[in-house]
């Protein structure tokens, strides 16, 4: 199946997408991860989007759609995929329709206060991108990734001013996608408050593996 994961930053889309991708054997495609990888490698694209991402704003629709179109043309997407963080605007969703067929838009339902609390304590591995939370999911050793031993850091866009900006941007530009997909009849709500294992169990119940 071809999924898109919708929801505010910090709702747990990335965490579920990583787990579900393994369970269903389909790729997890995160536009945020692709941008961060480009920034890390200082590519032309990375240099273009660096400041926007740090501020919590959105990269242009043209750049983002081109990137996703290219990624979805790769053979590993043949049996399905999870798009995490794309589309984020109505024009992106409209563009997506011209090059992909989405089976389900999974909407991660969570209040703003919970998002602020989650993002506020989030740390990320510099090497492998694994996320931890200083309160809800702390690493075994402070500052060090459990998976690969890499150094943990706070993403620039997880700093307080950027979090507020990302929420404003989400409500204004991305939340209208909920109605967009509801009207198409393929919106599926998921309660994003429980622990990741419970969310994965709910997801598997809603989308039994074929
Ligand atoms: P994420 O990891 O999904 O929270 O994305 C991190 C940042 O990458 C966002 O705050 C945006 O600046 C940028 N970004 C990711 N996906 C998109 C998108 N679909 N459209 C525009 N900007 C995006």
């Amino acid at each position: 199946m071809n999924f898109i994961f919708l929801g505010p930053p910090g709702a747990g889309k990335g965490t579920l997408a990583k787990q579900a991708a393994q369970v269903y054997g389909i790729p997890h495609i995160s536009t945020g991860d692709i941008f961060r990888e480009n920034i890390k490698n200082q590519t032309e694209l990375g240099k273009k989007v660096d400041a926007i991402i740090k501020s919590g704003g959105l990269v242009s629709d043209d750049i983002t759609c081109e990137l996703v179109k290219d990624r979805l043309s790769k053979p590993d997407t043949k049996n399905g995929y999870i798009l995490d963080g794309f589309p984020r605007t109505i024009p992106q969703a409209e563009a997506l329709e011209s090059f992909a067929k989405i089976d389900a838009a999974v909407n991660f339902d969570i209040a703003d206060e919970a998002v602020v609390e989650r993002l506020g304590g989030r740390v990320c591995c510099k090497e492998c991108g694994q996320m931890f939370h200083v309160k809800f999911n702390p690493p075994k050793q402070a500052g060090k990734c459990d998976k690969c031993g890499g150094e943990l850091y706070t993403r620039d866009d997880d700093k307080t001013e950027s979090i507020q900006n990302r929420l404003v941007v989400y409500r204004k530009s991305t939340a209208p996608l909920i109605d967009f997909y509801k009207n198409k009849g393929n919106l599926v709500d998921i309660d994003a408050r429980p622990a990741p294992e419970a969310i994965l169990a709910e997801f598997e119940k809603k989308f039994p593996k074929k």
Side-chain angles (χ1 to χ4, degrees):
M1 277 183 87
N2 301 339
F3 295 102
I4 61 175
F5 281 10
L6 274 179
K13 300 186 297 294
T15 303
L16 180 65
K18 280 193 189 78
Q19 295 170 335
Q22 286 212 330
V23 173
Y24 292 76
I26 53 179
H28 163 214
I29 302 171
S30 155
T31 39
D33 283 351
I34 299 174
F35 287 136
R36 279 185 289 278
E37 191 61 27
N38 275 273
I39 292 172
K40 192 170 148 193
N41 296 330
Q42 301 206 323
T43 65
E44 278 310 306
L45 173 66
K47 285 180 202 158
K48 239 188 239 172
V49 302
D50 193 10
I52 302 171
I53 292 187
K54 279 193 181 132
S55 73
L58 290 183
V59 176
S60 80
D61 290 336
D62 283 354
I63 292 181
T64 314
C65 290
E66 203 47 49
L67 187 103
V68 173
K69 189 174 177 187
D70 177 64
R71 180 63 187 86
L72 293 187
S73 70
K74 303 277 189 292
D76 67 333
T77 62
K78 214 175 63 234
N79 297 322
Y81 48 81
I82 298 171
L83 277 178
D84 163 19
F86 180 93
R88 256 180 160 94
T89 65
I90 296 277
Q92 288 181 12
E94 286 169 347
L96 180 63
E97 304 226 301
S98 70
F99 58 81
K101 188 191 164 302
I102 297 305
D103 299 304
V106 183
N107 177 40
F108 287 64
D109 204 10
I110 192 162
D112 282 4
E113 302 76 60
V115 163
V116 171
E117 195 179 20
R118 283 187 185 186
L119 292 180
R122 199 158 82 159
V123 284
C124 179
C125 175
K126 262 190 183 152
E127 301 307 321
C128 71
Q130 180 68 38
M131 296 281 193
F132 296 89
H133 192 284
V134 291
K135 184 163 151 201
F136 304 124
N137 174 31
K140 290 195 183 80
Q141 196 184 332
K144 218 171 185 189
C145 176
D146 291 356
K147 244 170 85 182
C148 74
E151 187 190 332
L152 301 180
Y153 76 110
T154 301
R155 275 168 36 181
D156 282 317
D157 58 345
D158 282 345
K159 294 182 179 153
T160 317
E161 326 77 73
S162 294
I163 293 173
Q164 292 301 343
N165 191 28
R166 286 163 76 197
L167 273 172
V168 169
V169 168
Y170 173 76
R171 294 286 163 220
K172 181 168 168 272
S173 304
T174 309
L177 290 177
I178 297 172
D179 278 342
F180 180 93
Y181 286 107
K182 203 183 270 171
N183 292 337
K184 294 201 174 291
N186 53 6
L187 189 85
V188 178
D189 284 311
I190 213 155
D191 181 358
R193 289 167 306 174
E197 313 80 64
I199 299 179
L200 178 64
E202 191 190 343
F203 184 82
E204 291 190 67
K205 216 188 284 167
K206 287 192 159 136
F207 302 103
K209 223 172 114 184
K210 297 216 172 87

